[in-house]
């Protein structure tokens, strides 16, 4: 299976579930790629090494929280640095939505998630998927 483009990734919404995992081990990354994993997330400092073994898997580099939080310009700089290293997109978690918007406005493919938030499970009545609908996701963001 060929690597998903950003457009194909977006077109999957409501059409099919994607497979995604996180690893910091290059051997695991290669195994995931060989097995046909759709999306692999890793830390930003491993993107260049992983891009050499993940030719069929969309590679997402996790941006460093403190660097991205500094300013819109810092977020954009980090985003392009990870893209230049071989990432197909950037993962940004628990950040100011303005930083995410700045990256998206600069044409940087940026992804985050609400999904399962284990450290907030008591807020939602236990372990369950949360934020599947836009209004629920915004409610979580506003907390």
């Amino acid at each position: 299976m060929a690597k998903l483009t950003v457009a194909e990734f977006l077109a999957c919404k409501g059409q099919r579930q994607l497979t995604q995992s996180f690893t910091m081990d290059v051997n695991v990354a290669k195994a995931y790629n060989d097995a046909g994993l759709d999306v692999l997330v890793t830390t930003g400092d491993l993107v260049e090494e992983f891009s050499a073994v993940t030719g069929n898997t969309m590679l997402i580099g996790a941006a460093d929280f403190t660097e991205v939080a500094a300013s819109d310009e810092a977020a954009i700089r980090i985003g392009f640095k990870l893209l230049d290293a071989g990432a197909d997109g950037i993962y940004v978690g628990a950040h100011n939505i303005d930083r995410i918007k700045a990256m998206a406005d600069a044409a940087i493919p940026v992804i985050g998630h609400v999904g399962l938030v284990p450290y907030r499970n008591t807020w939602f009545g236990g372990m369950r998927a949360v934020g599947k609908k836009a209004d629920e996701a915004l409610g979580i963001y506003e907390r």
Side-chain angles (χ1 to χ4, degrees):
M1 185 168 170
K3 180 189 293 196
L4 291 170
T5 65
V6 173
E8 291 167 338
F9 178 91
L10 293 171
C12 288
K13 185 172 182 174
Q15 301 301 310
R16 79 172 181 97
Q17 291 185 341
L18 298 173
T19 56
Q20 176 179 315
S21 191
F22 174 88
T23 189
M24 294 175 60
D25 183 307
V26 70
N27 294 316
V28 173
K30 183 176 181 336
Y32 282 155
N33 179 75
D34 294 347
L37 188 78
D38 293 311
V39 182
L40 176 63
V41 182
T42 193
T43 59
D45 57 338
L46 292 175
V47 166
E48 189 169 354
E49 181 179 1
F50 279 32
S51 68
V53 299
T54 57
N56 296 324
T57 300
M58 179 179 263
L59 182 60
I60 305 295
D64 179 85
F65 174 82
T66 54
E67 291 180 25
V68 170
S71 68
D72 289 352
E73 293 78 17
I76 292 167
R77 184 179 63 252
I78 295 301
F80 281 120
K81 177 182 171 186
L82 293 175
L83 292 176
D84 287 345
D88 299 301
I90 313 305
Y91 170 79
V92 179
H95 292 292
N96 182 310
I97 200 153
D98 293 333
R99 301 290 187 261
I100 295 168
K101 183 175 181 336
M103 293 173 85
D105 288 347
I108 298 169
V110 60
I111 187 172
H113 77 86
V114 179
L116 180 62
V117 189
Y119 55 89
R120 292 188 177 178
N121 71 52
T122 58
W123 296 14
F124 307 111
M127 294 288 215
R128 69 174 187 86
V130 294
K132 292 181 87 172
K133 303 281 187 202
D135 59 338
E136 187 178 25
L138 285 173
I140 294 164
Y141 169 75
E142 291 169 354
R143 290 183 183 184

